[in-house]
Amino acid sequence: MQLLSSDLTTIISTISVILVLVSLILSTPIAAQQFPISQLVSFTKDKPKTTGVKGTEQKGTGSSSKALHHSSSITSSPSLPASTFSSTSGIGSNGSNNKVVIINFDDSFKTQFLYAKPILDIYGFKATFFEVCGWIGKYPISKKSWQDLAALRQDGMDIESHTMTHAHLNTLSTADLNYQVGQSKQCFLSHGFTTPIFAYPYSEGSNNITVVKVVANNYDLARTDSGYPLTFLHCNGFKNHPQTDCKTYSSNGKKLTFDNRYSIKSWTHRHIDGSYSSEEGACAAICHSFNNAQMLQKFIVDVNSQLQYNKNGVINAIPIVIYHNFVTYPDVSYSKDAADTTVNLFDQEMKYLRDNGFKVLTMNDLGYDNTNNVLYIRNNSSGIP
């Protein structure tokens, strides 16, 4: 049967419409049950969210992702009261300048450079990348190169230290501990990167006085994944751990304080919570899985949890969110790795921050006032005067 030209035009038009619809379906997150944000996450000052089984972060070489996974009043300088913040930067449509957030990336995933960094550029945000020095340039498919780090720094990103080989610090000898912590700083320095801030692998070490002493000998600040979405600049936000400042040690010097400059709190962006091992892809007890729509709501709750502490432009708490590997699935529920984030979800989250007037800082925007023993936002590229 011979087709008329009008028939061919109709067929081609129909095929085009089908292709567009298929494309939209594949790029749109799977619909999720919608419910009030207040019912999704119940944030308290003393109960951390479940962060999953420790020891399931990526250990190094593979191309697959195995990743698991500092603070209460802003000042323009350490000499001012630690609750002073008069800048109009970050003011949203509601006139508030109470909203600040810090974005972190751990474990040197190449996908952070390929997928997350272009999205940060779109929204004009800067972030902190905690890099494992011994992995850089060794695994070109799965990990970043030194050229990648140079490009990140050139564009205003913050490069910091995450050990030499991502070891479990609590298990190491003194020599190995010095190698993982101290040599990592020297490794970056030898490549032209100054890294005054440290992040603990596997969320281990911030409550170990032996580890913390080595960290303190090499770094100004250190961040851990605590499961708490907020870090408090005066370290005074936990009612079961009463503190008035961020001193590292107890009065007798024999114990660590719960919250200090070397245990800055943060939350890993995980779509599977509970006793889940990304390495084995299995849940050992009770686990909760979330899709893109639910993860977006969790993110919104966490970044807004600061508002009960930040009033009239005085910043007392800052949410710090940690990302790991990025995937191109249409929905994060397709992934068995708990710390994976889809590219489209990350874009939605960064758009939310931009549209709602959040000021996005880096870890290097944090300073420590040794006189008053508090954290503050220091005068640098953050735009805060």
Side-chain angles (χ1 to χ4, degrees):
M1 181 179 67
Q2 185 175 3
L3 295 175
L4 299 175
S5 59
S6 58
D7 295 329
L8 288 174
T9 300
T10 301
I11 293 172
I12 292 172
S13 177
T14 302
I15 292 174
S16 298
V17 170
I18 292 172
L19 289 175
V20 170
L21 289 173
V22 170
S23 176
L24 287 172
I25 291 170
L26 291 177
S27 62
T28 303
I30 296 174
Q33 179 184 359
Q34 299 297 312
F35 41 85
I37 292 174
S38 60
Q39 296 178 13
L40 180 64
V41 177
S42 177
F43 172 73
T44 67
K45 296 169 77 172
D46 293 290
K47 184 178 180 182
K49 289 188 264 183
T50 305
T51 57
V53 175
K54 292 182 180 179
T56 58
E57 278 187 317
Q58 173 135 343
K59 293 178 180 151
T61 62
S63 59
S64 64
S65 61
K66 303 291 183 184
L68 187 150
H69 299 15
H70 274 2
S71 344
S72 27
S73 296
I74 290 183
T75 67
S76 57
S77 76
S79 60
L80 297 176
S83 60
T84 301
F85 179 55
S86 59
S87 172
T88 57
S89 300
I91 293 180
S93 58
N94 62 355
S96 169
N97 58 354
N98 298 324
K99 298 180 290 187
V100 182
V101 66
I102 297 177
I103 303 299
N104 284 188
F105 299 91
D106 280 11
D107 296 0
S108 303
F109 286 102
K110 185 80 168 183
T111 56
Q112 298 168 0
F113 182 76
L114 295 176
Y115 300 129
K117 197 267 185 180
I119 293 174
L120 292 173
D121 290 343
I122 289 172
Y123 296 106
F125 295 157
K126 306 304 178 186
T128 296
F129 293 76
F130 282 100
E131 306 291 348
V132 181
C133 200
W135 292 352
I136 305 302
K138 299 290 182 64
Y139 313 108
I141 295 177
S142 61
K143 303 298 180 182
K144 299 187 192 82
S145 66
W146 288 109
Q147 291 79 9
D148 295 336
L149 265 61
L152 288 170
R153 182 176 62 180
Q154 178 67 31
D155 285 347
M157 302 299 174
D158 178 27
I159 308 299
E160 302 294 350
S161 173
H162 198 33
T163 72
M164 283 297 294
T165 63
H166 207 275
H168 291 273
L169 302 183
N170 287 337
T171 67
L172 301 181
S173 66
T174 301
D176 288 341
L177 186 58
N178 283 317
Y179 171 74
Q180 289 292 338
V181 176
Q183 184 56 38
S184 177
K185 185 174 185 177
Q186 294 304 313
C187 174
F188 284 110
L189 191 59
S190 69
H191 287 86
F193 294 87
T194 301
T195 55
I197 305 174
F198 181 80
Y200 302 90
Y202 307 108
S203 311
E204 298 172 359
S206 65
N207 60 352
N208 183 327
I209 196 167
T210 300
V211 174
V212 169
K213 284 183 176 180
V214 176
V215 171
N217 286 336
N218 292 277
Y219 299 91
D220 298 331
L221 304 172
R223 191 223 73 205
T224 187
D225 173 10
S226 61
Y228 295 96
L230 296 178
T231 192
F232 293 93
L233 289 176
H234 285 177
C235 301
N236 60 353
F238 301 96
K239 63 183 180 182
N240 290 338
H241 303 276
Q243 295 179 223
T244 58
D245 58 30
C246 299
K247 289 185 178 120
T248 305
Y249 304 102
S250 61
S251 56
N252 62 13
K254 295 181 179 180
K255 293 182 179 180
L256 292 168
T257 57
F258 176 75
D259 196 13
N260 57 70
R261 66 195 291 186
Y262 301 112
S263 67
I264 294 176
K265 314 304 183 190
S266 62
W267 167 65
T268 284
H269 192 279
R270 291 169 50 84
H271 69 96
I272 305 175
D273 279 340
S275 303
Y276 180 85
S277 171
S278 291
E279 199 157 294
E280 298 172 359
C283 179
I286 298 174
C287 299
H288 303 280
S289 298
F290 306 95
N291 60 23
N292 272 18
Q294 293 166 328
M295 283 302 297
L296 178 60
Q297 293 186 58
K298 281 166 61 74
F299 175 84
I300 291 171
V301 168
D302 282 347
V303 297
N304 283 292
S305 62
Q306 65 185 293
L307 297 181
Q308 60 183 306
Y309 307 107
N310 302 341
K311 304 293 183 182
N312 302 318
V314 177
I315 305 299
N316 293 301
I318 303 176
I320 301 176
V321 184
I322 312 170
Y323 294 91
H324 289 79
N325 190 41
F326 288 83
V327 293
T328 57
Y329 303 133
D331 193 273
V332 74
S333 60
Y334 289 17
S335 171
K336 292 183 178 181
D337 193 309
D340 277 353
T341 302
T342 62
V343 176
N344 56 357
L345 174 58
F346 184 67
D347 178 73
Q348 289 178 314
E349 292 174 343
M350 296 303 102
K351 183 178 186 298
Y352 176 84
L353 295 180
R354 193 274 312 275
D355 291 350
N356 289 275
F358 283 80
K359 182 69 178 180
V360 179
L361 306 177
T362 70
M363 293 299 295
N364 201 40
D365 289 323
L366 294 179
Y368 190 75
D369 178 356
N370 287 288
T371 300
N372 297 305
N373 291 301
V374 295
L375 294 157
Y376 66 95
I377 296 295
R378 61 182 183 175
N379 185 16
N380 60 15
S381 60
S382 66
I384 297 175

